[in-house]
């Protein structure tokens, strides 16, 4: 029996369209994560990162069809669809939504809003919930007396840390963070990432960090999964992916990161990802890949295991000394 905290197996998500057809947003996602581990989900907009974590939380709209397995310590939380995720949501899996710092109600104090999930889930109520809300604020580096303040009295960085405190209210084992540093300046961004890394180490919290920003991943995560067109095309230790990217898309992603030391501008990736309302034969990256050959256009590559913690979904993986 697996001891992994999170196991996602062959996860598919599609949205049926009124005009017929479907948008197949997630096309067989496989991800594993242990307690206290950080995993970055990276890729361009539309690659399926946010869809993947919304599916894990059971928070996709009714128009979505979800198939596959999401297991928390062996329990398939999708066994009976969205309803079966509910008992796990917030208490086992919690999420910091994109733009969470702007989602606080302006008419309730930060402390009241952090305490709310505890009351809803029967974890704590009354003074105990208030006391716990203050402790959580302290945990994320905010003076507990600020629990009585309103959101407009917090800076953007403080609101984002308060959003993380709220996600931790029911002591989840897994935190899904969707672009948690977008719209923050670089100094506050570093503070929020350091906070996530500290919580991961001190609480044994597993963190899935969704971002399109590769340098952000390395601050919290040892491993990353590179997504393209609804699938993981390469995964492995962040350092290895950076130093020896095996998949042409991973190489292109890293090449697109501007170099602050040389003031070099990153190279953009030519072309665009495939339309997800269409099916294609061959490799999804072939139209943009400088190394594509005839086989790439007709046969979809399967994941190649390059090492115990390293896979690449490319026909060239492992060939000619490619890692
Ligand atoms: Fe490029 Fe072919 Fe590898 Fe796809 S399978 S990434 S097209 S070389």
């Amino acid at each position: 029996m697996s001891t992994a905290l999170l196991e996602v197996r062959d996860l598919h998500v599609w949205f049926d369209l009124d005009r017929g057809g479907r948008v197949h947003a997630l096309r067989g996602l496989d991800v594993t994560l242990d307690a206290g581990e950080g995993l970055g989900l990276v890729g361009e907009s539309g690659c399926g990162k946010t869809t993947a974590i919304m599916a894990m939380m059971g928070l996709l709209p009714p128009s979505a069809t979800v198939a596959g397995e999401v297991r928390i310590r062996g329990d398939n939380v999708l066994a009976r669809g969205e309803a079966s995720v509910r008992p796990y949501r917030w208490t086992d899996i919690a999420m910091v939504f994109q733009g969470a710092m702007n989602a606080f109600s302006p008419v309730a104090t930060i402390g009241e809003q952090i305490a709310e999930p505890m009351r809803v889930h029967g974890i704590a109520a009354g003074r105990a919930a208030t006391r716990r809300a203050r402790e959580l604020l302290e945990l994320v580096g905010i003076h507990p007396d600020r629990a009585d303040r309103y959101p407009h009295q917090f800076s953007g960085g403080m609101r984002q840390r308060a959003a993380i405190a709220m996600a931790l209210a029911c002591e989840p084992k897994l935190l899904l963070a969707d672009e948690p540093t977008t719209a923050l300046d670089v100094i506050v961004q570093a503070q929020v990432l350091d906070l996530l890394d500290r919580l991961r180490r001190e609480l044994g919290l597993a963190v899935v960090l969704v971002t399109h920003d590769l340098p952000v991943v390395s601050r919290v995560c040892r491993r990353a999964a590179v997504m393209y067109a609804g699938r993981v095309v390469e995964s492995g230790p962040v350092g290895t992916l950076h130093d020896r990217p095996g998949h042409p898309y991973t190489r292109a992603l890293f090449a697109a990161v501007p170099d602050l030391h040389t003031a070099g501008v990153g190279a953009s990736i030519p072309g665009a990802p495939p339309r997800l309302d269409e099916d294609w034969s061959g490799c999804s990256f072939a139209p943009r890949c400088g190394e594509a050959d005839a086989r790439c256009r007709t046969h979809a590559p399967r994941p190649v295991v390059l090492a115990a913690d390293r896979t690449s979904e490319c026909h060239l993986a492992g060939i000619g000394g490619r890692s």
Side-chain angles (χ1 to χ4, degrees):
M1 177 133 177
S2 169
T3 56
L5 173 66
L6 171 72
E7 273 189 290
V8 178
R9 290 284 166 257
D10 199 26
L11 189 64
H12 288 255
V13 174
W14 63 87
F15 300 86
D16 289 319
L17 300 171
D18 291 342
R19 60 174 163 81
R22 58 166 63 160
V23 172
H24 200 160
L26 216 56
R27 298 178 176 233
L29 185 77
D30 293 306
V31 161
T32 305
L33 193 65
D34 288 325
E37 208 188 352
L39 174 76
L41 276 188
V42 300
E44 293 166 285
S45 296
C47 69
K49 311 180 295 281
T50 297
T51 302
I53 59 171
M54 292 293 273
M56 293 177 208
M57 284 288 282
L59 289 176
L60 288 169
S63 57
T65 302
V66 181
E69 291 184 353
V70 174
R71 292 188 178 274
I72 297 288
R73 293 212 190 285
D75 294 344
N76 184 5
V77 305
L78 290 180
R80 296 181 313 285
E82 198 262 354
S84 61
V85 185
R86 243 172 264 148
Y88 298 89
R89 197 185 294 149
W90 304 120
T91 51
D92 291 273
I93 322 172
M95 185 164 172
V96 177
F97 295 92
Q98 198 167 3
M101 66 181 180
N102 300 318
F104 284 103
S105 165
V107 296
T109 66
I110 290 285
E112 287 167 345
Q113 296 185 64
I114 293 175
E116 182 67 12
M118 291 181 248
R119 295 192 183 101
V120 169
H121 290 275
I123 306 270
R127 284 196 191 150
T130 304
R131 193 169 51 244
R132 181 68 185 139
R134 292 170 64 89
E135 288 171 2
L136 284 165
L137 277 180
E138 200 163 19
L139 181 69
V140 299
I142 297 173
H143 195 286
D145 287 351
R146 291 184 182 257
D148 298 330
R149 305 259 175 103
Y150 288 86
H152 74 272
Q153 296 173 299
F154 275 44
S155 67
M158 284 169 66
R159 281 204 307 276
Q160 188 64 333
R161 279 185 277 157
I164 294 170
M166 190 154 73
L168 298 177
C170 300
E171 301 185 12
K173 303 168 189 70
L174 170 64
L175 184 69
L176 310 173
D178 190 5
E179 304 275 8
T181 56
T182 301
L184 298 175
D185 67 53
V186 286
I187 294 179
V188 179
Q189 185 179 88
Q191 290 169 350
V192 169
L193 293 171
D194 288 347
L195 168 64
L196 286 173
D197 190 45
R198 179 168 64 77
L199 296 171
R200 183 186 62 72
R201 286 183 281 106
E202 293 180 0
L203 305 180
L205 187 69
V207 177
V208 175
L209 181 63
V210 164
T211 181
H212 62 277
D213 190 343
L214 285 162
V216 157
V217 174
S218 58
R219 293 189 78 118
V220 182
C221 308
R222 193 190 69 80
R223 281 195 302 129
V226 178
M227 292 190 64
Y228 189 76
R231 286 184 65 82
V232 171
V233 293
E234 183 163 22
S235 66
V238 175
T240 309
L241 295 181
H242 176 271
D243 297 340
R244 289 183 288 117
H247 194 285
Y249 179 61
T250 310
R251 262 203 303 286
L253 266 189
F254 276 106
V257 177
D259 187 335
L260 293 180
H261 300 293
T262 62
V265 180
S268 63
I269 306 174
R275 291 179 55 147
L276 298 174
D277 60 347
E278 294 176 354
D279 286 324
W280 53 84
S281 54
C283 174
S284 58
F285 191 56
R288 307 172 79 186
C289 179
E291 300 176 57
D293 60 18
R295 180 173 58 148
C296 299
R297 296 190 178 86
T298 53
H299 291 78
R302 302 303 305 163
V304 177
V305 178
L306 297 167
D309 57 356
R310 185 96 197 277
T311 64
S312 180
E313 198 168 272
C314 172
H315 290 311
L316 302 179
I319 296 174
R322 275 170 183 269
S323 52

